[in-house]
C-alpha cells in the first residue's frame, strides 16, 4: 500500500510547477536521471572519486530550507502515507472534539422546573349516568424556563381575556358573491374585537386521539378562526417526550392554538421531531388515560392510512365532506369546559 501511495504522490508532483520544488526538468527526465545516477553510484570507483563532492552537495541542499529537495519531499510523503495507513486501519482512533458532537444532548422532563400551573376541565368525557362526582380535570405543570415563549402564550389562552392576536388578511378572491359577503362579515367582526377580545379555549375541543401516540387538544373554532395563529418558538431545551403525560406544542404556526398530550405506550420520535415540550400533566393522569381510550372514527380503508394533519382545516370545521376530516376524531364531542391559571 505504501509503494502504491508513493506512486500516486509521484504522479501528483507532475501536476505541480517545477519551480515550486526546485526542479529544472520534467518529471520523466528526472526519474531517468535518478536511475542513471543510482547505477553510477553502485560503482566503487565512482564512490571513491565523488564521495566528498556528494557530501558537500547534499549538505548544501539540506541547508537550503527555501528550496526543498526530492529526497526531503519523498521522506515527508512516506511519513504522511504511513500515518494515513495507520488511521485508516483504526490503529489510531479519532475522537470527536466534543462529546456533544457525537450525540445530541437531551434533558429529562422529570428534572425540568415547573414555573406555572394551568388546569383544564373536560365536558362530555363522562356520560351523565357515570358514577363520577368529580369533574374530569387535569393540571399541567409548565416549564417556563425551558420554553418561555410557548408557555407565555398558553398562560394567556387559558384565561378568559385570552391571547391578543391579529386578524387574518381579508380574502378577496372568492368567486361567488355570497361567499365573499360572508368572508367580509367575518373579517369585519374580527377587526371590531381585535384589540379587546383575545383568543381563548372557549368551545374548543379534543379533536384527535391516536391511541398511545397523541391526544390533540384545543382546536379553537367559531369566532376565533379568523385570527392569526401564534408562532411557537423553540428554545432548544433538549426536552423530549420521555414519559406519559408530557405536553407539547408544534413548532411554528401550523397547529393553531392547540397542544398535544403524549399518552405514552409507543415511540415518541415523530413528536420529538417537530414539537416543543412545554410541560407535563401532574394531576389527572386517569383522565388522560380515559381520553386515550376513547373510540374514534376510522377511515383507514377509504383514506389508505392514518391522517397526520396537524390541525383541522377550515373546511373540516365547517363540515367538509373530505374523509380525513373525521379520521381519528372522537365519536363523542369532548369540550374544554373550563380552563385557567393556578
Amino acid at each position: 500500500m505504501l509503494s502504491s501511495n508513493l506512486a500516486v504522490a509521484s504522479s501528483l508532483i507532475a501536476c505541480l510547477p517545477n519551480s515550486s520544488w526546485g526542479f529544472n526538468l520534467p518529471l520523466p527526465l528526472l526519474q531517468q536521471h535518478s536511475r542513471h545516477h543510482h547505477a553510477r553510484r553502485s560503482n566503487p570507483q565512482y564512490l571513491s572519486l565523488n564521495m566528498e563532492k556528494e557530501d558537500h552537495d547534499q549538505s548544501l541542499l539540506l541547508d537550503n530550507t527555501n528550496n526543498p529537495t526530492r529526497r526531503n519531499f519523498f521522506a515527508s510523503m512516506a511519513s504522511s502515507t504511513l500515518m494515513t495507513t495507520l488511521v485508516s486501519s483504526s490503529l489510531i482512533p479519532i475522537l470527536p472534539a466534543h462529546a456533544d458532537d457525537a450525540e445530541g444532548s437531551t434533558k429529562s422532563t422529570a428534572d425540568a422546573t415547573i414555573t406555572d400551573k394551568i388546569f383544564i376541565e373536560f365536558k362530555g368525557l363522562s356520560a351523565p349516568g357515570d358514577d363520577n362526582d368529580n369533574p374530569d380535570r387535569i393540571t399541567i405543570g409548565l416549564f417556563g424556563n425551558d420554553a418561555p415563549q410557548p408557555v407565555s402564550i398558553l398562560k394567556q389562552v387559558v384565561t378568559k381575556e385570552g391571547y391578543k392576536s391579529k386578524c387574518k388578511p381579508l380574502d378577496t378572491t372568492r368567486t361567488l358573491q355570497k361567499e365573499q359577503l360572508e368572508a367580509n362579515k367575518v373579517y369585519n367582526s374580527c377587526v371590531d374585537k381585535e384589540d379587546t377580545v383575545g383568543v381563548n379555549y372557549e368551545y374548543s375541543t379534543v379533536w384527535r386521539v391516536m391511541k398511545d401516540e397523541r391526544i390533540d387538544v384545543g382546536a379553537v373554532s367559531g369566532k376565533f378562526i379568523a385570527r392569526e395563529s401564534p408562532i411557537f418558538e423553540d428554545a432548544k431545551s433538549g426536552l423530549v417526550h420521555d414519559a406519559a403525560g408530557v405536553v407539547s406544542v408544534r413548532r411554528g404556526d401550523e397547529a393553531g392554538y392547540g397542544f398535544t398530550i403524549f399518552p405514552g405506550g409507543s415511540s415518541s420520535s415523530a413528536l420529538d421531531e417537530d414539537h416543543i415540550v412545554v410541560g407535563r400533566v401532574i394531576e389527572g393522569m386517569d383522565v388522560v388515560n380515559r381520553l386515550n381510550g376513547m373510540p374514534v372514527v376510522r377511515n383507514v380503508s377509504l383514506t389508505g392510512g392514518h391522517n397526520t394533519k396537524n390541525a383541522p382545516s377550515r373546511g373540516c370545521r365547517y363540515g367538509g365532506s373530505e374523509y380525513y376530516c373525521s379520521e381519528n376524531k372522537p365519536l363523542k364531542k369532548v369540550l374544554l369546559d373550563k380552563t385557567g391559571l393556578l
Side-chain angles (χ1 to χ4, degrees):
M1 179 181 292
L2 183 60
S3 59
S4 63
N5 288 334
L6 288 176
V8 174
S10 299
S11 64
L12 292 175
I13 298 175
C15 301
L16 298 174
N18 291 339
S19 59
S20 57
W21 298 101
F23 298 153
N24 296 318
L25 294 173
L27 185 61
L29 293 181
L30 288 172
Q31 293 173 339
Q32 180 180 359
H33 172 73
S34 178
R35 289 193 297 270
H36 177 67
H37 184 65
H38 178 72
R40 291 178 59 194
R41 291 191 59 169
S42 61
N43 190 327
Q45 182 179 1
Y46 173 84
L47 290 175
S48 61
L49 293 175
N50 295 283
M51 184 178 298
E52 182 178 350
K53 183 178 182 300
E54 287 283 338
D55 293 341
H56 176 69
D57 292 343
Q58 183 178 356
S59 62
L60 290 177
L61 288 173
L62 292 175
D63 290 340
N64 188 2
T65 57
N66 295 324
N67 189 19
T69 64
R70 284 180 297 166
R71 181 178 300 175
N72 290 340
F73 171 72
F74 281 109
S76 63
M77 280 295 299
S79 175
S80 176
T81 305
L82 178 60
M83 180 62 68
T84 303
T85 304
L86 292 175
V87 171
S88 62
S89 302
S90 299
L91 296 178
I92 301 179
I94 299 179
L95 299 177
H98 301 284
D100 291 342
D101 294 340
E103 183 179 358
S105 59
T106 59
K107 178 180 176 182
S108 172
T109 54
D111 298 330
T113 301
I114 295 176
T115 58
D116 306 276
K117 296 179 182 180
I118 62 175
F119 73 91
I120 297 174
E121 291 185 7
F122 298 95
K123 182 179 180 180
L125 181 58
S126 299
D130 291 347
D131 185 15
N132 185 12
D133 297 332
N134 298 322
D136 296 320
R137 172 171 170 161
I138 63 173
T139 301
I140 300 174
L142 300 175
F143 305 145
N145 295 335
D146 298 289
Q149 190 258 7
V151 166
S152 174
I153 294 176
L154 287 179
K155 287 168 58 181
Q156 297 176 64
V157 178
V158 297
T159 63
K160 185 177 180 180
E161 294 76 14
Y163 173 75
K164 300 297 189 299
S165 177
K166 297 294 183 180
C167 296
K168 296 177 182 178
L170 175 62
D171 183 6
T172 59
T173 61
R174 305 298 176 91
T175 56
L176 298 178
Q177 183 180 12
K178 182 179 180 180
E179 292 183 354
Q180 189 61 61
L181 291 174
E182 179 65 22
N184 294 344
K185 181 179 179 181
V186 172
Y187 176 77
N188 292 331
S189 175
C190 179
V191 172
D192 290 340
K193 300 178 181 179
E194 185 178 54
D195 297 328
T196 57
V197 179
V199 178
N200 57 40
Y201 285 136
E202 184 179 359
Y203 304 117
S204 63
T205 63
V206 177
W207 68 274
R208 178 170 63 181
V209 176
M210 300 177 69
K211 185 174 174 61
D212 296 337
E213 295 182 28
R214 59 192 298 162
I215 302 170
D216 293 314
V217 179
V220 297
S221 59
K223 58 186 178 182
F224 297 132
I225 61 172
R227 297 295 186 94
E228 292 280 7
S229 298
I231 301 176
F232 290 116
E233 300 173 1
D234 193 349
K236 306 295 184 182
S237 64
L239 293 173
V240 295
H241 301 75
D242 57 0
V246 171
V247 177
S248 61
V249 295
R250 182 175 174 84
R251 189 181 300 108
D253 62 351
E254 296 183 8
Y257 291 84
F259 60 89
T260 299
I261 303 175
F262 177 57
S266 67
S267 173
S268 63
S269 57
L271 291 176
D272 292 335
E273 287 180 5
D274 51 28
H275 278 62
I276 308 168
V277 173
V278 297
R280 59 184 172 89
V281 176
I282 56 178
E283 294 179 11
M285 277 303 297
D286 59 319
V287 177
V288 173
N289 294 333
R290 289 162 59 203
L291 289 170
N292 185 45
M294 290 178 63
V296 298
V297 175
R298 295 292 190 188
N299 289 328
V300 176
S301 61
L302 298 175
T303 62
H306 293 302
N307 176 259
T308 57
K309 290 176 67 66
N310 299 305
S313 68
R314 186 174 185 273
C316 290
R317 294 190 184 106
Y318 280 95
S321 59
E322 296 91 342
Y323 289 123
Y324 68 77
C325 289
S326 298
E327 181 74 11
N328 296 306
K329 181 179 179 180
L331 290 177
K332 58 181 180 179
K333 192 171 186 178
V334 178
L335 296 171
L336 278 66
D337 186 40
K338 295 179 182 178
T339 62
L341 285 168
L342 292 176

